[in-house]
Amino acid sequence: MSKELTRSPIRQDFIGLEKAKQHDVQRSLWRSVFIIATCTAAMVVNVTNTSSASISLPTIEKDLNIKEEELQWLISAYSLSSGCFLLFFGRLADIYGRKKAFMIGTLSQVAFSLGCGFAQSGTTLVILRAFQGMGAAATIPSALGILAHAFPPSRMRSIAFATFAAGAPVGGAFGMIIGGVLTQITSTHWRSPFYLVAAMSALTGISGMISFDADVTSAEAVDWIGVTLVTVGLVLILFVLGQGEVAPQGWKTPYIITLLIVGIIMVLLFLLWERHLEQSLDDPSRAPSAWRPPPLMSLSLWTRAKGRMAVILVIAFLNWSGFMSWTFWVQLYYQNYLLLTPIETMLRFLPLFVVGCLCNVLVAMFVGKLPLIIFAVSGTLLTASAAILFALIDPTVTYWAFGFPSAVLVVFGADFVYSSGTIFIAKIALPHERSVAGAMFQTMAQLGIAVGLAVSTLVFNIVVKNESADVGVTLNSAGTNAPRSAQLKGYRSAQWTCASFALMAALLAALCLHGVGIVGDKKTLQHATSDKTIVVRSESEDN
């Protein structure tokens, strides 16, 4: 690590400035609480943007007369733009200031959420959803960097990251609850959740403006070539993953194959370019310039902690493939197979909200006492167990037999992996790259969502088609005439696919995370009653 700290005078000065800033923070306990609450609120808003829109899709389809094949883009546009711009905005946050990037992101969320509420056509709504996602791409990595910078390794940092991670399941449940209720009982129907998200974003931005520490900026140049390569590459790959199943000829459609190949080539070129830039930093005779800036993403990040950084990122990819696909198929099962209303569906997702809060307490209590492998293996196995319960579900029995335990287990799985993973990344990332490191984690999770949905959808469609053919039914173009037995088999098969992703993550964690040890800290932050310097006091000489 010492080699990386001395690669360039600009970077060395910036790291020194970050460390000096971190060890002389003027902040009271209440202000620290507001920092954690604000960053967590940003995560809640981010996930609410997806879950509230998802439960409103049938109403939006009827109101705006959107074609069924275009409906998925109301969700995909947000995830696509968010996933593709995470690295870019994470790097900008590290260079120009995380507070500044966070405020720009929340302002974007406010403006485009209001725009979505006033949209009069499906095309307009999809475009505005894409801009909404760009706002999330700025706020989430900035929030991770802000938390890592605001709280040195301590119990308070563990609490901060556990709370932030709990924002994902809480946001998912909150979005479904508020989306289902507002869509069904308000006069503006599906537009109401967008207005609420705009208000939540505004409050989050105001809280951040008041509570966040002042920015630490850098004179480093931006790697615009790397930004272009990775953004275009990810846009193409994620577009293909979202469009492959609904293209005219499915995955065999010529433009799907072409775009996938071009996207992969762009990402490979990005990796080669980043390797070239990182090697340039090792050469003291080659000073940084506009054409030779510091890399957008140092490839050495993947090799940190003897390659465990890469392992954690792959685990995040696989576990999020299973977790978010579970959410997608459970929601469809309730509404399309059991024919439940949005509010009835929402009620069945309530455990996500309650258990998400409980997970926050448990992770904060034990992340400084148990090794990372315990959280990673148990979290991924719990995610797999939740999917297996729905893969074995009997529609005739009560919700409490399969649905309730599955909803409880999946939150524990997601929160254990996310919180311990982000704490680990914050611990091994250098001060000047914390937002980028957080963006890498988020990007892998977003890619996991896209791959999980694409693969599970492919499995669902194949199983439903084959099962329908076995009973002599030829499916129409929309698949609406599929026998109920075929639909049930499809839902079960999709959940087995979700479970397989999580089980692969569990196997990887069990094999590769031995020896990592405890990623949390037992230190405490002693706050003054007013905005005075935080003093770090160790409870144990071992840490």
Side-chain angles (χ1 to χ4, degrees):
M1 186 175 291
S2 59
K3 181 179 179 182
E4 293 180 61
L5 292 173
T6 57
R7 278 180 173 168
S8 73
I10 294 175
R11 178 165 294 186
Q12 190 173 12
D13 291 344
F14 183 49
I15 295 171
L17 181 60
E18 280 258 18
K19 287 184 175 179
K21 186 80 177 177
Q22 189 171 16
H23 287 86
D24 189 28
V25 180
Q26 302 293 318
R27 194 190 318 122
S28 66
L29 173 61
W30 280 109
R31 190 168 161 211
S32 294
V33 170
F34 270 103
I35 290 174
I36 297 173
T38 302
C39 292
T40 303
M43 174 60 84
V44 171
V45 169
N46 175 43
V47 182
T48 297
N49 258 322
T50 299
S51 57
S52 63
S54 179
I55 204 167
S56 305
L57 286 180
T59 307
I60 297 174
E61 180 182 14
K62 295 176 183 177
D63 191 27
L64 298 183
N65 195 27
I66 300 175
K67 296 179 181 179
E68 186 172 354
E69 60 268 21
E70 298 174 357
L71 198 62
Q72 63 156 333
W73 281 106
L74 296 179
I75 305 299
S76 300
Y78 183 89
S79 300
L80 181 67
S81 61
S82 175
C84 294
F85 284 93
L86 280 165
L87 279 175
F88 173 49
F89 284 120
R91 182 59 180 153
L92 290 183
D94 280 333
I95 294 176
Y96 297 113
R98 293 153 189 156
K99 181 176 182 179
K100 193 182 285 94
F102 186 93
M103 297 309 302
I104 292 173
T106 53
L107 183 62
S108 173
Q109 292 271 35
V110 172
F112 293 111
S113 294
L114 287 174
C116 288
F118 289 107
Q120 299 299 318
S121 71
T123 302
T124 302
L125 188 55
V126 168
I127 293 172
L128 291 172
R129 288 283 290 167
F131 281 107
Q132 260 192 316
M134 292 176 67
T139 57
I140 299 305
S142 300
L144 283 165
I146 287 167
L147 290 177
H149 172 73
F151 302 103
S154 60
R155 181 176 293 169
M156 182 63 84
R157 173 183 275 192
S158 300
I159 293 172
F161 276 95
T163 305
F164 180 79
V170 169
F174 179 78
M176 288 186 179
I177 293 169
I178 207 68
V181 171
L182 292 180
T183 298
Q184 193 159 325
I185 69 174
T186 62
S187 59
T188 50
H189 300 301
W190 62 267
R191 301 178 189 274
S192 298
F194 288 114
Y195 298 146
L196 178 64
V197 167
M200 292 170 60
S201 298
L203 292 175
T204 302
I206 292 171
S207 179
M209 186 185 303
I210 297 171
S211 62
F212 289 165
D213 299 327
D215 275 331
V216 177
T217 59
S218 168
E220 291 185 354
V222 178
D223 175 19
W224 292 108
I225 295 177
V227 166
T228 303
L229 289 173
V230 72
T231 301
V232 174
L234 289 176
V235 165
L236 295 178
I237 291 173
L238 290 175
F239 173 82
V240 166
L241 290 173
Q243 190 71 12
E245 271 299 296
V246 298
Q249 301 174 40
W251 291 94
K252 298 179 181 180
T253 307
Y255 76 82
I256 291 293
I257 298 172
T258 302
L259 293 179
L260 180 60
I261 293 173
V262 173
I264 293 173
I265 290 174
M266 295 290 277
V267 171
L268 291 176
L269 289 175
F270 165 72
L271 296 176
L272 292 174
W273 173 249
E274 296 304 292
R275 182 172 179 271
H276 164 71
L277 292 182
E278 193 166 11
Q279 290 176 339
S280 297
L281 291 180
D282 291 328
D283 187 352
S285 64
R286 304 175 69 180
S289 65
W291 291 103
R292 208 163 34 247
L296 176 67
M297 179 192 72
S298 299
L299 295 188
S300 61
L301 260 175
W302 291 79
T303 64
R304 299 277 172 83
K306 299 180 180 179
R308 268 62 174 267
M309 175 73 160
V311 172
I312 284 294
L313 292 175
V314 175
I315 289 172
F317 171 90
L318 291 171
N319 199 64
W320 241 244
S321 296
F323 170 60
M324 293 306 294
S325 297
W326 174 92
T327 304
F328 177 80
W329 291 109
V330 168
Q331 182 175 298
L332 288 181
Y333 171 80
Y334 284 144
Q335 294 196 66
N336 291 353
Y337 185 80
L338 296 184
L339 304 178
L340 301 180
T341 65
I343 289 183
E344 290 172 330
T345 300
M346 169 271 293
L347 291 173
R348 284 158 174 77
F349 279 95
L350 275 178
L352 275 71
F353 181 85
V354 178
V355 177
C357 296
L358 177 61
C359 282
N360 168 36
V361 176
L362 292 177
V363 172
M365 287 175 56
F366 294 107
V367 75
K369 300 177 181 179
L370 299 175
L372 175 64
I373 190 172
I374 297 296
F375 287 96
V377 172
S378 62
T380 49
L381 287 178
L382 288 171
T383 302
S385 299
I388 290 173
L389 279 171
F390 260 93
L392 300 173
I393 196 167
D394 181 353
T396 63
V397 301
T398 176
Y399 159 77
W400 303 100
F402 291 92
F404 175 75
S406 181
V408 171
L409 293 177
V410 80
V411 181
F412 275 106
D415 205 47
F416 281 4
V417 173
Y418 194 100
S419 55
S420 61
T422 50
I423 291 171
F424 174 73
I425 286 174
K427 191 169 186 176
I428 66 174
L430 300 177
H432 67 280
E433 59 189 15
R434 282 171 177 158
S435 291
V436 166
M440 289 169 60
F441 190 91
Q442 286 294 126
T443 300
M444 291 298 289
Q446 291 288 344
L447 286 172
I449 294 171
V451 171
L453 289 177
V455 174
S456 59
T457 300
L458 180 64
V459 170
F460 176 86
N461 290 341
I462 290 175
V463 170
V464 170
K465 182 179 179 180
N466 291 340
E467 289 293 317
S468 299
D470 288 344
V471 295
V473 176
T474 301
L475 295 180
N476 56 31
S477 59
T480 54
N481 63 329
R484 286 181 60 79
S485 60
Q487 293 180 47
L488 180 60
K489 188 65 178 292
Y491 285 121
R492 287 173 170 171
S493 299
Q495 290 290 359
W496 279 118
T497 306
C498 300
S500 67
F501 282 117
L503 289 173
M504 285 190 287
L507 180 62
L508 185 63
L511 293 176
C512 301
L513 293 182
H514 285 289
V516 173
I518 298 171
V519 295
D521 284 88
K522 296 181 180 179
K523 298 175 184 177
T524 60
L525 293 183
Q526 184 177 350
H527 294 78
T529 55
S530 61
D531 279 351
K532 296 181 180 179
T533 304
I534 293 175
V535 179
V536 179
R537 175 174 59 82
S538 178
E539 287 185 346
S540 172
E541 295 297 323
D542 298 332
N543 290 310

